[in-house]
Amino acid sequence: MPTTIPVIALLVAAAALGSYLLLLYTRGVRKPVLIGFHLLLGFGGLETLVVLLKGTPSNDGFPAGSYGNVAAGFLALAAFSGLLAPIIGRRSNATANLMVLTHVSVGLAGLFLCVAWASSL
């Protein structure tokens, strides 16, 4: 369990910063530096989770269990939808809001599944 703490810490930090960015988004404010930091935290958490699940050449990694691979999939989908949101959302506000809602809900599902996976080890 202690080696899963960095994954959970990175993902919780990304979610906390994402919550603040969602508040700014509802007010119509964009902070590109904070968005970039949110991206780095999210990708860092996803990468660390995948390394823990699949292992490195020198070790075998943790057992994925029923939640590990699904959590990684949800987090990858959240990262993909977050990267596509500004591109697809340029057409209309409704599309942008739908993309942000997708990013938030899939990301939170991935975070909760990752915590469930880490607590089942």
Side-chain angles (χ1 to χ4, degrees):
M1 175 79 175
T3 56
T4 60
I5 291 174
V7 175
I8 302 299
L10 283 170
L11 292 176
V12 167
L17 184 56
S19 299
Y20 177 66
L21 288 171
L22 181 62
L23 178 69
L24 292 178
Y25 178 77
T26 58
R27 294 179 181 173
V29 178
R30 287 182 50 107
K31 302 258 182 167
V33 173
L34 291 180
I35 293 170
F37 195 56
H38 171 70
L39 186 135
L40 289 174
L41 286 171
F43 274 119
L46 175 61
E47 179 185 6
T48 310
L49 175 63
V50 169
V51 167
L52 281 179
L53 287 174
K54 302 303 176 191
T56 59
S58 62
N59 70 3
D60 293 331
F62 287 111
S66 59
Y67 298 122
N69 290 329
V70 178
F74 273 131
L75 291 172
L77 186 60
F80 185 67
S81 67
L83 290 174
L84 284 182
I87 298 168
I88 295 176
R90 287 185 182 165
R91 297 180 185 171
S92 70
N93 284 338
T95 307
N97 291 338
L98 181 63
M99 287 300 293
V100 169
L101 177 66
T102 302
H103 175 70
V104 169
S105 59
V106 173
L108 284 176
L111 173 65
F112 290 137
L113 284 171
C114 186
V115 169
W117 167 77
S119 65
S120 68
L121 290 178

